[in-house]
Amino acid sequence: MPTVSVGRDRLFQALGRTYTQEEFDDLCFKFGIELDDVTTEKAIIRKEKHLEEEEPSEDEEVIYKIEIPANRLLAFDRIGLFGIRRFYLSEMGLIFLDFEFYGRYDLLCLEGLAQALRIFNGLDPIPRYNVACIGKESMLKMHVNSETSKIRPYVVCAVLRGVTFDEARYNSFIDLQDRLHQNICRRRTLVAIGTHDLDTIEGPFTYEALPPPEINFVPLKQAKNFRADELMEFYKSDLKLKKFLHIIENSPVFPVIYDHNRTVLSLPPIINGAHSAISLKTKNVFIECTATDLTKANIVLNTMVTMFSIYCERKFEVEPVEVIYPDGKSYICPDLSPYQMVVPLSYITSAVGVSLPAHEVSCEAGGWLAEQNAITCQALLSAKNETSFTISVPPTRSDILHPCDVAEDVAIAYGYNEIPKIKLPSLKPQSLNQFSDLIRTEIAMVGYAEVLTWILCSHKENFTMLNRKDDKSTAAINGNPRSADFEVVRTSLMPGLLKTVGHNKDHPKPIKIFEVGDVVLLNEKKDVGASNRRHLAALYCGATSGFELIHGLVDRIMEVTGTPFVSTGDETGYYIHSSDEPEFLPGRQASIIYKGKQIGTFGIVHPQVLDNFDIPDPCSLVEINIESFL
């Protein structure tokens, strides 16, 4: 979920009033976003440089960091509309789908955020975005060569005329490009944005793919001419651009955009040309988006032009560009026409959980959608006297893909806190989950704080750092990990707790934390080859941490589960005997035997393990398989 940093004073000016921090936090909550942090520009710089914190002075600009969440799924049938990229195993033993972020991209800049909040507060009507009415003969043209199909086949373009920039607007314009590149553009792999001063170049433009030695130009912020292959070597030392080189560097041809005079506009997705760089004095902006995904390219282009057409001489008007492909087909972009969708009232009320009359939803009667969301609707009555709404979705709301998104907007406008909580009669909680919640409550009442750690960890953390050897019979291996931190599915909760303490070793002592979560062990008897087990782990870190402290917690756990302490060999309760686990200190550890089976281990963590996790203080830990109690 992306976080947007905006200046508080400029945001309040755009909203037309000032707020206390509590009032603005409440507004964010009602709208479905979150005020994540309040800081200053100097404080951010000090944090990046690891300098000591200082009291902010009165002249420092206050920065609001606002978290923009991805849309919540109100219906499972929306899943088919998403680009599902991966499957993971969740904490609850369920399949977790790694979705594309389909949030509100219009909220990634101050302009869109302020506009959305003003509409939500009923201060502004929904903007009507227009494509300038000009003939094809007067329209700028982008000719696409056939070679581009080998590397980056699509391009969409538009023009913002009569733009008025100041420093804040200019910085916001650049920041929005960066945020889109990091989110929907997938770090420029799917879409790359180029913005140019139209007055320094001349159409028609051509989008080509040429061998690197044939491309020569002066790149942005440079003074000398480079060949494209030379640029690849030059930017390998650039901290920002080197991470994008892999997208094209091994291709026999590189994408490039020229104007009528063969001036290079950009070498997407790496760098723009210096000749057409925009500045505070720029009045006419030419925007081009090259892409491997045409749908996302159109979303990105629409987001850029709708957010900043507010600064055009003709407000909310965008000049189109004709894109002509090698097969002779041509397309006019951008397409700012609203998207139509029919949503039954019965669907909205069932999804939200509140019975709403049609006039409270319908825009015609000034209902929820009209007052507080950037979409419009008209009520329809079917032959069966069932009310439906024709929803008109503006180009700023690319996140609305399904009727459940409309229902979500109604729920936000109605107020999540106003929706009554109900317990569905057909759903019964699983006994394991109920028991886990009871255990959590009891451990918390003893003074331990709950933590949640990743179910995936590195192979080193799961074995070597715990002094364990991998016998290849316990851990499920991730075949294609995104990084070394997610190589295996954890077989113990211990690495997560130790990492948490290691990252918080400066926290006041003692540190008392616990986690109730799943581990995964290989199991040939299961059709998927592995099984989940619900574990409890608790850790005590401090100068006085000893065997007796964690032993007392074990006794408390057994007491609340109604398990008596019995003599060795008795299978009616539990007892303990010495163990020899490598992650614990020899002679200061024990196994927990419950009804004849070992269900856990506790003791003082081995000093070598503590050193591996960079923990300077002694720790004692217990880990129990709580499924054994059911």
Side-chain angles (χ1 to χ4, degrees):
M1 296 183 287
T3 299
V4 180
S5 298
V6 296
R8 180 196 63 185
D9 295 343
R10 187 163 174 253
L11 176 60
F12 286 175
Q13 182 182 10
L15 292 177
R17 58 159 291 189
T18 59
Y19 293 83
T20 65
Q21 186 174 321
E22 185 178 350
E23 288 173 338
F24 187 73
D25 194 23
D26 184 58
L27 173 62
C28 289
F29 177 79
K30 290 178 179 178
F31 185 62
I33 57 180
E34 181 180 353
L35 180 59
D36 187 53
D37 192 17
V38 180
T39 183
T40 65
E41 193 70 38
K42 291 182 181 178
I44 294 172
I45 295 172
R46 286 194 294 268
K47 187 175 181 180
E48 290 174 349
K49 294 183 177 180
H50 304 287
L51 301 177
E52 291 186 6
E53 293 185 6
E54 299 176 3
E55 287 295 324
S57 59
E58 293 183 0
D59 61 336
E60 288 189 57
E61 182 185 15
V62 176
I63 303 295
Y64 277 177
K65 289 190 172 183
I66 300 172
E67 191 175 271
I68 311 298
N71 276 21
R72 295 152 294 277
L73 293 177
L74 293 184
F76 186 80
D77 50 6
R78 177 179 173 167
I79 287 177
L81 299 168
F82 280 82
I84 299 176
R85 297 185 287 117
R86 289 182 184 84
F87 295 88
Y88 289 126
L89 199 61
S90 78
E91 296 283 346
M92 305 305 293
L94 303 174
I95 287 179
F96 174 81
L97 307 178
D98 186 8
F99 296 108
E100 299 279 357
F101 170 79
Y102 263 90
R104 288 192 59 173
Y105 301 112
D106 60 316
L107 302 183
L108 295 181
C109 63
L110 182 142
E111 288 74 13
L113 186 62
Q115 178 177 279
L117 290 175
R118 286 182 65 87
I119 294 172
F120 184 75
N121 285 332
L123 299 175
D124 285 345
I126 300 169
R128 294 187 179 274
Y129 299 99
N130 301 307
V131 174
C133 187
I134 58 175
K136 271 195 174 184
E137 64 282 352
S138 304
M139 202 177 292
L140 283 173
K141 293 176 174 54
M142 173 70 77
H143 295 273
V144 181
N145 286 12
S146 58
E147 291 81 5
T148 58
S149 62
K150 300 175 183 177
I151 185 168
R152 211 170 179 86
Y154 305 111
V155 62
V156 291
C157 314
V159 175
L160 295 177
R161 292 275 185 187
V163 177
T164 301
F165 280 128
D166 57 25
E167 187 174 356
R169 294 175 181 180
Y170 176 85
N171 291 337
S172 182
F173 186 69
I174 300 300
D175 287 345
L176 178 59
Q177 294 178 59
D178 289 339
R179 288 168 186 149
L180 290 172
H181 277 150
Q182 290 300 311
N183 288 282
I184 184 174
C185 300
R186 291 286 169 193
R187 296 179 180 85
R188 306 190 190 183
T189 55
L190 300 182
V191 186
I193 310 165
T195 55
H196 312 276
D197 189 333
L198 185 58
D199 296 327
T200 64
I201 50 182
E202 184 181 351
F205 306 100
T206 58
Y207 176 41
E208 307 176 18
L210 300 174
E214 296 182 20
I215 303 172
N216 286 271
F217 70 105
V218 179
L220 195 64
K221 297 182 180 179
Q222 300 298 323
K224 61 174 270 190
N225 215 57
F226 286 85
R227 290 202 320 263
D229 52 341
E230 295 173 337
L231 268 181
M232 294 296 108
E233 290 299 320
F234 180 74
Y235 284 134
K236 283 182 179 178
S237 60
D238 188 289
L239 293 177
K240 181 179 179 181
L241 296 178
K242 67 179 181 180
K243 54 191 170 186
F244 306 122
L245 301 181
H246 70 93
I247 301 173
I248 63 169
E249 66 178 338
N250 295 323
S251 172
V253 291
F254 285 3
V256 60
I257 296 178
Y258 289 101
D259 79 344
H260 178 68
N261 299 316
R262 301 300 289 176
T263 300
V264 172
L265 274 65
S266 66
L267 181 74
I270 308 301
I271 193 74
N272 291 343
H275 179 83
S276 59
I278 65 171
S279 67
L280 293 177
K281 297 179 180 179
T282 298
K283 289 296 180 185
N284 301 305
V285 181
F286 178 70
I287 303 173
E288 42 85 2
C289 299
T290 58
T292 57
D293 186 316
L294 184 57
T295 299
K296 287 183 172 57
N298 283 316
I299 292 173
V300 169
L301 182 66
N302 286 354
T303 302
M304 288 295 300
V305 298
T306 52
M307 293 303 96
F308 287 89
S309 59
I310 191 173
Y311 300 135
C312 288
E313 187 177 349
R314 294 189 174 184
K315 200 172 181 180
F316 303 132
E317 183 174 279
V318 182
E319 183 177 313
V321 176
E322 183 181 9
V323 180
I324 303 170
Y325 282 91
D327 59 4
K329 294 181 179 178
S330 66
Y331 302 89
I332 307 297
C333 51
D335 180 7
L336 302 180
S337 57
Y339 163 61
Q340 303 293 327
M341 178 192 300
V342 176
V343 182
L345 176 61
S346 58
Y347 179 90
I348 294 174
T349 55
S350 63
V352 175
V354 176
S355 180
L356 295 171
H359 71 272
E360 288 191 9
V361 179
S362 173
C363 298
E364 296 164 322
W368 295 107
L369 289 179
E371 292 180 357
Q372 298 181 317
N373 291 277
I375 54 178
T376 57
C377 66
Q378 291 183 333
L380 302 172
L381 197 63
S382 70
K384 297 180 180 179
N385 286 330
E386 294 180 352
T387 302
S388 295
F389 300 103
T390 300
I391 308 297
S392 183
V393 183
T396 54
R397 296 299 307 273
S398 59
D399 60 304
I400 297 182
L401 307 171
H402 184 274
C404 68
D405 299 308
V406 178
E408 179 185 32
D409 269 16
V410 174
I412 290 172
Y414 185 80
Y416 280 128
N417 284 344
E418 304 300 321
I419 299 174
K421 295 180 180 180
I422 59 172
K423 188 174 182 180
L424 299 179
S426 61
L427 296 181
K428 294 182 179 180
Q430 294 182 353
S431 57
L432 177 59
N433 292 340
Q434 282 186 308
F435 182 66
S436 298
D437 289 340
L438 293 172
I439 288 289
R440 288 187 178 99
T441 302
E442 290 295 335
I443 304 298
M445 290 173 66
V446 179
Y448 284 72
E450 185 175 12
V451 298
L452 295 173
T453 63
W454 298 111
I455 196 169
L456 298 179
C457 63
S458 71
H459 185 277
K460 184 178 179 181
E461 292 166 352
N462 201 65
F463 293 103
T464 309
M465 293 175 70
L466 295 179
N467 292 343
R468 295 174 177 172
K469 292 183 180 180
D470 182 10
D471 59 4
K472 309 297 182 182
S473 64
T474 56
I477 307 299
N478 186 356
N480 185 26
R482 178 175 292 184
S483 72
D485 293 328
F486 303 111
E487 292 174 326
V488 301
V489 187
R490 65 187 180 189
T491 59
S492 166
L493 300 181
M494 191 173 183
L497 294 185
L498 292 173
K499 279 182 70 177
T500 301
V501 173
H503 288 301
N504 295 275
K505 55 180 175 287
D506 295 329
H507 193 278
K509 304 298 185 299
I511 297 175
K512 300 164 67 177
I513 57 175
F514 79 96
E515 180 172 12
V516 176
D518 281 14
V519 301
V520 175
L521 300 175
L522 295 179
N523 187 344
E524 293 181 355
K525 296 179 180 180
K526 298 292 184 180
D527 57 349
V528 294
S531 59
N532 284 36
R533 290 186 186 174
R534 185 68 51 81
H535 278 203
L536 157 69
L539 181 147
Y540 186 106
C541 175
T544 61
S545 179
F547 183 82
E548 66 283 355
L549 287 173
I550 208 70
H551 191 178
L553 181 62
V554 172
D555 290 342
R556 175 59 182 165
I557 293 169
M558 293 303 179
E559 180 183 359
V560 299
T561 57
T563 307
F565 184 79
V566 296
S567 59
T568 302
D570 189 338
E571 297 188 0
T572 61
Y574 85 99
Y575 59 90
I576 64 173
H577 70 70
S578 61
S579 62
D580 189 25
E581 300 296 338
E583 60 267 31
F584 292 104
L585 190 65
R588 304 297 290 170
Q589 56 174 294
S591 296
I592 304 169
I593 310 300
Y594 172 74
K595 294 185 178 180
K597 295 182 180 179
Q598 181 178 335
I599 64 169
T601 308
F602 68 95
I604 298 176
V605 181
H606 197 288
Q608 180 60 52
V609 173
L610 295 178
D611 187 58
N612 292 339
F613 285 92
D614 194 24
I615 300 173
D617 299 290
C619 296
S620 53
L621 183 142
V622 59
E623 183 162 2
I624 301 173
N625 176 7
I626 63 174
E627 288 189 23
S628 304
F629 294 112
L630 300 178

